[in-house]
Amino acid sequence: MGKSIKVNYFLNMSYQVLVLLVPIVTTPYIARTLGAEGIGIYSYTYSVVSCFVLAAVMGTTSYAQRTIAYYQNDVVERSRKFFDVFSFRLVTTLLCSAVYCVYLASGFCKYKVPALVQMLYLVAVAADVSWLFQGMEEFKKIVVRDTLTKLLNVFLLFLMVKSPDDVVVYTGILGGMTLLGNLSVWPYVPRLVRAIPMREWRPFKDVREIFLLFIPTIAIQLYSVLDKMMIGAFSPSAAENGYYEQTEKVVRVALMVVTSLGMVVAPRIAQLYHKQDEAGIKSYLKKSFQFVWLLGVPIMCGLIGFAHLFVPVFYGPGYEKIEILMPIYSCVVVAVSISNVVGVQYLIPTKQQNVYTMAVVTSAVVNVAMNAVLIPRFLSVGAAAASVAAEAVGASMLLAFLSRKKLVNIGELLRLSVKNWIGGLLMLVAVYLFCRSANQTFLMLCVAIGGGASVYFGALLLMRDAFLMENIKMVYARLRNKRNRQAPDGKG
């Protein structure tokens, strides 16, 4: 297989860096322009349309990516699967759009105009074929698409969002860019699939498998959407949802640096499973966990440590509650990363989604139960605490399953993480103390982030962390080989 995991991850990582940088540019502006009330309206209406988007997509993304990966070398079968999934999505999108229109016309629709514009996300579902490129491990086209649409998104936000009354404009830009991005990769589709007569399309052929993959998707959506809906129901102001939305957005964006590996590794593990290469699967799992420790731990500790400086610099006045929310919600980082490794990278590609479903559904039940108890009393703070507990339960169940299957040794995994936790805690203390006394300026925030990273990676270097040293040596060797190839004959 000529496709490189490292190259594909680098492409995804480059895009995730952009994803991290864009909020640094846009969030302070949007927070000040729309205010917590405006952001709360967007958050609420988006949480509602997300339920309809979820129903339209069902389990097709995971199913399609896995199936396309199985048939990377069989263009005929790959093409059949492509049109089966595409036609299935078309049918479900039309049905969900019809039901959503009934909701818009009903008395249950709270903010009708923003909710109507949110329908762009439903149209985008039918146009989305990124799963084809993911299954084929062709990540470059997706990354280029996402990068260009993200930059255009930023330009339009600054150009068109000027006041708290521009919530509809803001909603239209985000939904419209999603649709445009999905349409932009269609010219490349004919290079990967052949035309199949419409009479041979079988949209409901594998509906059972799709539905089984839909169950964990529903549960995951529950604790990414239901908490916002419950906050909106119990809070007299949309501002509480605004605080929670902004906290979740920062943490989830930072999480992408770790979880983006799953998008790259999942098709490769699907291929290894198809070839019955268990040793190869174990090797990838171990490296994925080491990757989680290397980046997940410092991201979590960093978010906790610099919250008191980050919030006033990033959001401005009126968002003080996020200083309480961020240290709590940041604790999901490691748990979500572990669940991503076990569920997305291993269980789904190897057709063991029932185990993943059990863990996710259990987490969702814990989340809903704790939300019901905590949100009426603590609002957004209660929702954050419930999310952390639910993610921890799910990650623990998945790790226990891997241990029973003898695919990993939990004791060995924890030993591999000791140096990362030491470095992370040292960074947390250093950043926290600095942020409590530093001036609230963007320069000081950059110093805190850079200084925290230096403390963490400096500590790992002093402790000679094996995974970090291995990757440093690999990068150095590649650079040296590249330099040698570029040197004239007889020199260097």
Side-chain angles (χ1 to χ4, degrees), residues 152-224:
L152 182 57
N153 196 350
V154 172
F155 173 75
L156 292 175
L157 288 178
F158 282 110
L159 180 68
M160 303 179 70
V161 179
K162 298 294 184 181
S163 74
D165 297 326
D166 289 334
V167 174
V168 172
V169 176
Y170 176 71
T171 304
I173 291 171
L174 296 185
M177 286 300 98
T178 301
L179 175 58
L180 179 64
N182 289 347
L183 290 171
S184 67
V185 295
W186 271 91
Y188 302 103
V189 171
R191 301 179 187 179
L192 297 176
V193 300
R194 293 178 183 174
I196 300 293
M198 191 177 292
R199 66 179 179 274
E200 296 181 21
W201 295 6
R202 301 290 183 268
F204 303 108
K205 180 182 178 183
D206 295 317
V207 68
R208 183 178 178 276
E209 276 194 75
I210 291 172
F211 184 75
L212 288 175
L213 287 166
F214 184 40
I215 297 172
T217 308
I218 294 173
I220 290 170
Q221 193 75 358
L222 274 175
Y223 42 90
S224 66

Side-chain angles (χ1 to χ4, degrees), residues 125 184 244 255 418 434:
V125 170
S184 67
Y244 189 78
L255 248 173
V418 169
F434 176 83

Side-chain angles (χ1 to χ4, degrees), residues 41 45 100 104 109-119 165 167-169 171-172:
I41 291 170
T45 55
Y100 188 71
L104 290 174
C109 185
K110 208 169 181 181
Y111 308 102
K112 288 190 181 293
V113 178
L116 175 63
V117 178
Q118 294 280 17
M119 199 170 177
D165 297 326
V167 174
V168 172
V169 176
T171 304

